[in-house]
Amino acid sequence: MGKGKDIWVVLEADGGKLKRLSLSLVEEGRRLADKLCGSLTAVFLGEGPDDLALLAGRHGADRLYLVRHPALTDERPEMYERVLTPLVEKKRPYLLMAAATPIGSDLLPRVSARIKAPLVTNCIEVGFDDGLEFVKPVQNGRLHATVVCKATETTMVTVLPDALTPGAVPSRERAAETTNIESCVDTKGLSVRKTGFIKADHRTIDISDAETVVAVGRGMGPEKNLAGIMEFADRIGAAIGGTRPMIDAAILPYERQIGQTGKRVAPRLLFLCGISGAMEFLKGIDKAGTTVAINSDPDAPVFRTADVGILGDVNEVVSRASSWICRQKSRNSTWVPEPDRGPSS
């Protein structure tokens, strides 16, 4: 490995569990590290899940820097910056990567300004030719721009969550070599104070971030049938998405479009309701976990890619499912879907 060719990725957790997009970021970092004949280091600020080293190692990290500090228990980018900056200044990785989440988009500009390092934000692709190359959407996604950086020291990048889709379940079981770093950073003078946390509404959450998605297509029938499908989605806490015809017909807004000309989604559980399975749509769900297809056409292409296929009228199937869930809840049962973390082989 050439000096300074170490790739770093900043990990994030939610509810004590490592975010899926962080694992995808590790996989992307591994790809770049291999191309540069370098190493990959994952960085986590806080206590971290118990299996953090194993997860990071399985997905490609060589090392894990676990930075501990009592003030890192809450999501406070200002505090994160105070802890991460000295570490980056000391180690000087070749590339520091973070997801373009609220945390990553706040944290990396702060670190970049402190150490005067170049930063490229909201990228969809990172490569290396005659220097680091970053591809990012411009003009509201209508065009892509390529930014080339030939800096010899640290460069930083945030990657859009849409571009961070999980790959295959890793086969290696090697844990990352962990270095615990005790930080003694002054917590005084912070300008931002966290007062609470409001859970995202599944009806308004970005479909790219949703754990469960119900996608609808023309097989749903008239627009009035959407109410029944949305009731089903509400009962399981799922976000609603759709195919391009549903957006063209103004049944769903554009930000809910899934597919080649829309968004790529990678939920743990995906329901495909009345969707035939056109290639343009399937490109947007190729990294999803467990997929359940509901269609009345036994020859629908979607059945060839789904993990579970249900042959029948989509509106009748979701109505019965909603009724069953309602009965379970009325019996004081706690019905929470726990899909597989990935499609079965």
Side-chain angles (χ1 to χ4, degrees):
M1 181 191 73
K3 183 179 179 181
K5 292 298 188 290
D6 192 12
I7 309 296
W8 284 19
V9 295
V10 179
L11 306 180
E12 296 181 31
D14 184 17
K17 294 183 179 180
L18 199 63
K19 291 183 178 180
R20 290 179 305 125
L21 60 81
S22 286
L23 296 177
S24 301
L25 191 65
V26 172
E27 294 171 5
E28 178 66 12
R30 179 73 266 165
R31 181 186 66 81
L32 288 170
D34 289 343
K35 190 169 184 178
L36 293 167
C37 299
S39 64
L40 177 63
T41 299
V43 181
F44 189 87
L45 309 177
E47 291 301 321
D50 294 336
D51 58 350
L52 182 58
L54 179 59
L55 284 174
R58 290 183 66 201
H59 287 263
D62 300 306
R63 292 185 299 273
L64 170 66
Y65 286 157
L66 185 56
V67 186
R68 301 179 184 276
H69 193 283
L72 299 176
T73 53
D74 292 330
E75 296 179 354
R76 303 165 71 179
E78 189 176 11
M79 188 64 214
Y80 291 167
E81 177 265 316
R82 292 188 180 187
V83 172
L84 183 60
T85 298
L87 186 62
V88 174
E89 284 184 309
K90 179 180 179 181
K91 300 291 185 179
R92 278 294 180 176
Y94 182 66
L95 177 65
L96 176 62
M97 307 175 67
T101 59
I103 293 177
S105 297
D106 193 339
L107 173 60
L108 257 59
R110 294 175 182 269
V111 179
S112 172
R114 283 282 299 273
I115 69 173
K116 296 180 172 55
L119 166 67
V120 185
T121 60
N122 300 330
C123 294
I124 60 173
E125 186 178 330
V126 182
F128 183 85
D129 189 5
D130 187 25
L132 287 166
E133 296 184 349
F134 307 97
V135 179
K136 59 180 296 178
V138 294
Q139 295 292 324
N140 291 325
R142 291 188 292 270
L143 298 173
H144 287 166
T146 299
V147 180
V148 179
C149 182
K150 297 184 179 181
T152 57
E153 290 194 322
T154 303
T155 301
M156 303 182 188
V157 61
T158 61
V159 183
L160 289 172
D162 290 7
L164 294 173
T165 52
V169 176
S171 58
R172 73 178 197 172
E173 293 295 330
R174 181 170 63 86
E177 179 184 343
T178 304
T179 300
N180 291 297
I181 301 175
E182 300 294 337
S183 179
C184 300
V185 177
D186 186 7
T187 60
K188 296 180 181 179
L190 296 175
S191 60
V192 178
R193 181 171 59 91
K194 180 179 177 180
T195 59
F197 176 79
I198 301 175
K199 186 177 180 180
D201 185 345
H202 66 273
R203 283 199 170 199
T204 58
I205 191 174
D206 191 313
I207 55 176
S208 300
D209 300 328
E211 289 284 324
T212 307
V213 172
V214 174
V216 295
R218 283 185 292 192
M220 175 194 73
E223 183 177 356
K224 63 181 181 180
N225 293 336
L226 182 63
I229 294 178
M230 291 191 69
E231 180 184 356
F232 169 67
D234 286 342
R235 292 195 186 281
I236 64 174
I240 285 283
T243 59
R244 181 170 180 173
M246 304 300 289
I247 278 70
D248 290 343
I251 296 176
L252 291 173
Y254 174 71
E255 60 267 21
R256 295 282 148 182
Q257 181 178 331
I258 301 172
Q260 187 175 17
T261 56
K263 292 185 176 181
R264 298 183 69 185
V265 298
R268 293 177 58 194
L269 179 59
L270 173 64
F271 289 91
L272 305 174
C273 301
I275 295 174
S276 63
M279 185 60 65
E280 293 79 8
F281 174 80
L282 295 179
K283 287 183 178 180
I285 64 169
D286 58 347
K287 301 300 183 182
T290 301
T291 57
V292 180
I294 309 171
N295 203 296
S296 59
D297 180 7
D299 298 320
V302 71
F303 285 134
R304 295 196 288 269
T305 60
D307 297 291
V308 179
I310 301 176
L311 183 62
D313 180 84
V314 60
N315 299 296
E316 182 179 347
V317 171
V318 298
S319 176
R320 290 186 177 184
S322 293
S323 298
W324 182 83
I325 296 170
C326 186
R327 290 197 300 272
Q328 293 299 108
K329 289 184 176 180
S330 67
R331 294 170 184 167
N332 296 321
S333 298
T334 54
W335 186 83
V336 179
E338 280 292 337
D340 295 335
R341 292 192 178 274
S344 58
S345 57

